[in-house]
């Protein structure tokens, strides 16, 4: 740099070398996706870009200009440019899947002055209707036909539709447009609310209040067939009729209400998963027996008014299946050979995987631990066998010099090793090689 004063004196600074920028850019990430999926019509946005200078120069954000290029995948490894897709956002075409645009990615180029850097390709995201297709199928399954819901218990059905609504509301506006039967879910939510309110009203009515009983009957009579299908086994209808015909049976009506709540309290709900409040079969069995005994105390006409008896029937079925599963462990003796333990554990594992979530939660942890231990029964046998084989084999040379008297003993040992190896249910392939090395020695 050179400067001149007013009186003509000149000054010149020492020369300084300006290092050219060597830009580095991170791989971009994408926003607007859910679990790696994006639906047709949704917009994806580039995010997570950081630009630095390898030599340490500090860059200001307003110094950096970006350009973008979107791609979709062809075959296994190649990508092709999406024409016109050069912005920081990209809206998935409605017909993307039909045009085979199923996996998309982006690169970003950063420029500062004359220097630039281009990122590697981002991770791909999959264009799919899978989340909305799954939701659509689950909503469809709410109905048996136009006049009947697929319901065995109002409590379980209520939890199911609440979870479906939560899943629907978590979708983007574009993804919601792909759920073609949301009206069914919306109707189910309204119907559940209506029937729940009628049940609550019934549970609070005093038998002497004939006006409220009549109003409840009129409200029930306005229900259409689809709404009435939520009144499983017509228990609410039966209860209303009982109030009308026998308004003085206050004690039995109170008992029915108590039993209805007791049955509902057998279950708890974790998102869309249903499990029993009881943590084991014995506790659940005791609760079921108590409820059944109390139902038996009711007069014959009031037993039918007890709601959600399907939950009781299912609980008894689940208890039986879990008891049968636990019984299968009688075949799993700890003094059995490792081979037999692994074989038996395999059949038990198959039965375990067939249990429902509710049933699995009733299986004590100790049985799961026993199953896992049995499945690994051969591991210690393999370790011991490897150690014995290693003692016979070292750098392809047998580390012993048998005498005529000891020869047969070594042959017997090798035969035993090979017998144990062959008894394994799934012998590791690399151990097979060790056994092959022993074979010539056995034959000498």
């Amino acid at each position: 740099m050179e400067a001149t004063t007013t009186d003509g004196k000149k000054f010149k600074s020492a020369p300084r070398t300006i290092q050219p920028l060597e830009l580095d850019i991170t791989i971009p990430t994408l926003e607007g996706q859910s679990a790696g999926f994006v639906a047709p019509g949704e917009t994806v946005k580039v995010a997570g870009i950081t630009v630095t200078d390898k030599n340490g120069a500090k860059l200001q954000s307003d110094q950096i200009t970006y350009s973008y290029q979107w791609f979709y995948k062809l075959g296994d490894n190649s990508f092709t440019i999406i024409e016109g897709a050069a912005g920081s956002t990209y809206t998935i075409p409605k017909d993307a899947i039909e045009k085979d645009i199923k996996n998309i990615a982006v690169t970003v180029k950063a420029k500062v002055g004359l220097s630039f850097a281009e990122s590697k390709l981002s991770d791909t995201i999959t264009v799919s209707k899978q989340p909305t297709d799954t939701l659509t199928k689950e909503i469809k399954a709410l109905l048996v036909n136009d006049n009947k819901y697929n319901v065995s218990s109002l409590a379980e059905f209520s939890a199911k539709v609440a979870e479906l609504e939560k899943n629907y509301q978590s979708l983007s506006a574009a993804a919601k447009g792909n759920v073609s039967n949301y009206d069914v879910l919306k109707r189910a939510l309204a119907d559940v609310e209506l029937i729940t309110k009628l049940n609550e009203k019934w549970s609070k009515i005093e038998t002497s209040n004939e006006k409220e009983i009549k109003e409840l009957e009129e409200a029930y009579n306005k229900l259409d067939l689809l709404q009435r299908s939520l009144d499983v086994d017509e228990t609410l209808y039966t209860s209303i009729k009982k109030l009308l015909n026998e308004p003085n049976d206050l004690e039995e009506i109170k008992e029915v209400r108590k039993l209805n709540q007791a049955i509902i309290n057998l279950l708890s709900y974790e998102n869309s998963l249903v499990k029993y409040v009881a943590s084991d079969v014995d506790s659940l069995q005791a609760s079921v027996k108590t409820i059944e005994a109390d139902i038996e105390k009711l007069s014959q006409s009031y037993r039918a008014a007890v709601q959600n008896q399907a939950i009781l029937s299912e609980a008894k079925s689940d208890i039986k299946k879990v008891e049968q599963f636990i019984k299968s462990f009688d075949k799993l003796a700890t003094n059995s050979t490792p081979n037999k333990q692994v074989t038996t554990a395999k059949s038990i594992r198959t039965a375990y995987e067939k249990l429902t979530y509710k049933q699995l939660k009733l299986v004590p942890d100790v049985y799961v631990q026993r199953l896992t231990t049995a499945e690994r029964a051969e591991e210690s046998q393999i370790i011991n066998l490897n150690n014995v084989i290693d003692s016979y084999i070292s750098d392809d040379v047998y580390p012993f010099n048998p005498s005529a008297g000891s020869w047969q003993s070594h042959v017997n040992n090798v035969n035993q090793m090979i017998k144990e190896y062959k008894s394994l249910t799934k012998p590791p392939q690399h151990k097979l090689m060790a056994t092959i090395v022993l074979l010539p020695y056995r034959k000498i």
Side-chain angles (χ1 to χ4, degrees):
M1 179 178 179
E2 189 175 280
T4 304
T5 64
T6 55
D7 57 0
K9 292 181 180 180
K10 291 186 177 182
F11 295 90
K12 189 176 183 179
S13 67
R16 295 184 62 183
T17 301
I18 299 176
Q19 292 284 351
L21 293 174
E22 289 187 61
L23 300 181
D24 191 26
I25 185 171
T26 58
I27 299 174
T29 57
L30 300 175
E31 292 181 349
Q33 58 175 314
S34 176
F37 291 100
V38 63
E42 288 189 296
T43 297
V44 187
K45 180 182 179 181
V46 176
I49 291 294
T50 302
V51 180
T52 55
D53 174 48
K54 294 180 181 179
N55 297 316
K58 293 185 178 180
L59 303 176
Q60 302 299 319
S61 59
D62 58 359
Q63 293 178 288
I64 309 170
T65 57
Y66 298 96
S67 58
Y68 308 86
Q69 183 57 64
W70 294 84
F71 299 83
Y72 71 90
K73 195 173 184 179
L74 289 174
D76 293 332
N77 298 308
S78 61
F79 287 82
T80 187
I81 289 174
I82 301 176
E83 294 293 339
S88 61
T89 63
Y90 176 61
T91 300
I92 311 299
K94 292 283 189 180
D95 58 353
I97 294 175
E98 290 72 19
K99 289 183 176 180
D100 208 31
I101 301 176
K102 296 180 181 178
N103 294 281
I104 63 172
V106 69
T107 59
V108 180
K109 184 183 289 186
K111 186 178 180 182
V112 179
L114 298 177
S115 301
F116 69 89
E118 185 169 359
S119 73
K120 292 182 180 179
L121 202 66
S122 70
D123 289 339
T124 60
I125 57 174
T126 301
V127 180
S128 173
K129 293 182 180 179
Q130 180 182 0
T132 53
D133 285 349
T134 300
L135 184 57
T136 300
K137 289 178 182 178
E138 290 180 333
I139 293 174
K140 182 180 179 181
L142 294 176
L143 294 172
V144 174
N145 53 52
D146 291 342
N147 295 317
K148 184 176 176 61
Y149 283 115
N150 183 14
V151 54
S152 59
S153 153
L154 180 60
E156 290 188 28
F157 188 82
S158 177
K160 179 65 176 177
V161 295
E163 179 66 16
L164 293 179
E165 172 67 5
K166 178 183 175 183
N167 293 342
Y168 177 81
Q169 295 301 337
S170 68
L171 297 174
S172 67
K176 287 178 180 177
N178 294 320
V179 181
S180 58
N181 58 350
Y182 177 66
D183 59 315
V184 174
L185 176 57
K186 191 175 180 180
R187 165 71 189 269
L189 286 163
D191 289 346
V192 165
E193 183 179 10
L194 176 59
I195 297 297
T196 300
K197 285 182 177 179
L198 290 180
N199 275 311
E200 290 173 353
K201 190 173 182 180
W202 174 83
S203 67
K204 295 175 181 178
I205 287 179
E206 295 295 332
T207 56
S208 59
N209 195 326
E210 186 175 347
K211 180 183 177 182
E212 285 190 3
I213 298 173
K214 286 287 187 182
E215 288 176 351
L216 182 59
E217 182 188 33
E218 289 173 4
Y220 189 95
N221 289 338
K222 291 178 181 178
L223 300 177
D224 60 27
L225 291 176
L226 186 60
Q227 292 165 331
R228 290 191 184 200
S229 69
L230 292 176
D231 181 21
V232 180
D233 297 328
E234 295 189 330
T235 50
L236 177 58
Y237 174 78
T238 303
S239 300
I240 294 170
K241 290 299 181 183
K242 290 292 180 186
L243 284 173
L244 287 169
N245 298 331
E246 303 171 44
N248 295 320
D249 292 344
L250 180 59
E251 291 306 314
E252 286 213 277
I253 290 171
K254 285 182 177 179
E255 187 64 22
V256 168
R257 290 170 177 171
K258 187 181 79 171
L259 287 167
N260 288 343
Q261 191 60 48
I263 293 173
I264 291 174
N265 289 345
L266 290 176
L267 300 173
S268 67
Y269 302 89
E270 296 176 349
N271 297 323
S272 60
L273 298 174
V274 185
K275 69 173 186 177
Y276 293 107
V277 172
S279 59
D280 56 67
V281 169
D282 291 340
S283 299
L284 179 60
Q285 182 81 276
S287 298
V288 170
K289 284 184 176 180
T290 298
I291 292 171
E292 288 187 322
D294 289 340
I295 291 175
E296 286 296 315
K297 294 175 184 177
L298 296 172
S299 62
Q300 190 66 38
S301 59
Y302 273 97
R303 291 174 189 172
V306 178
Q307 298 176 352
N308 296 311
Q309 293 196 46
I311 294 177
L312 278 182
S313 299
E314 191 171 343
K316 290 193 289 185
S317 175
D318 288 342
I319 289 169
K320 185 176 180 180
K321 288 179 180 178
V322 173
E323 286 177 337
Q324 289 173 343
F325 172 73
I326 292 174
K327 182 70 175 174
S328 67
F329 280 82
D330 292 347
K331 302 175 184 177
L332 192 61
T334 54
N335 58 354
S336 299
T337 62
N339 175 290
K340 188 172 182 181
Q341 287 188 57
V342 171
T343 302
T344 303
K346 185 177 180 181
S347 66
I348 294 176
R349 174 64 68 179
T350 299
Y352 181 80
E353 291 175 350
K354 290 180 179 178
L355 297 177
T356 65
Y357 180 76
K358 283 195 298 182
Q359 294 163 356
L360 287 172
K361 300 302 285 185
L362 293 173
V363 178
D365 290 341
V366 63
Y367 288 99
V368 180
Q369 293 167 1
R370 282 185 62 189
L371 175 57
T372 303
T373 300
E375 289 173 326
R376 297 174 178 172
E378 289 184 334
E379 290 183 4
S380 59
Q381 184 184 14
I382 290 172
I383 292 171
N384 293 335
L385 186 56
N386 287 341
N387 291 335
V388 176
I389 291 174
D390 288 342
S391 71
Y392 272 77
I393 302 168
S394 177
D395 298 327
D396 296 330
V397 177
Y398 299 118
F400 52 82
N401 185 19
S403 64
S406 66
W407 181 261
Q408 187 58 50
S409 174
H410 289 297
V411 171
N412 291 341
N413 287 342
V414 171
N415 285 337
Q416 181 61 31
M417 282 186 272
I418 294 173
K419 181 180 178 181
E420 284 191 37
Y421 173 81
K422 289 182 176 180
S423 73
L424 298 174
T425 55
K426 289 185 179 180
Q429 189 62 32
H430 68 282
K431 299 307 175 192
L432 178 61
M433 299 306 298
T435 305
I436 291 173
V437 174
L438 287 172
L439 286 175
Y441 171 71
R442 184 178 65 163
K443 294 178 180 178
I444 293 175

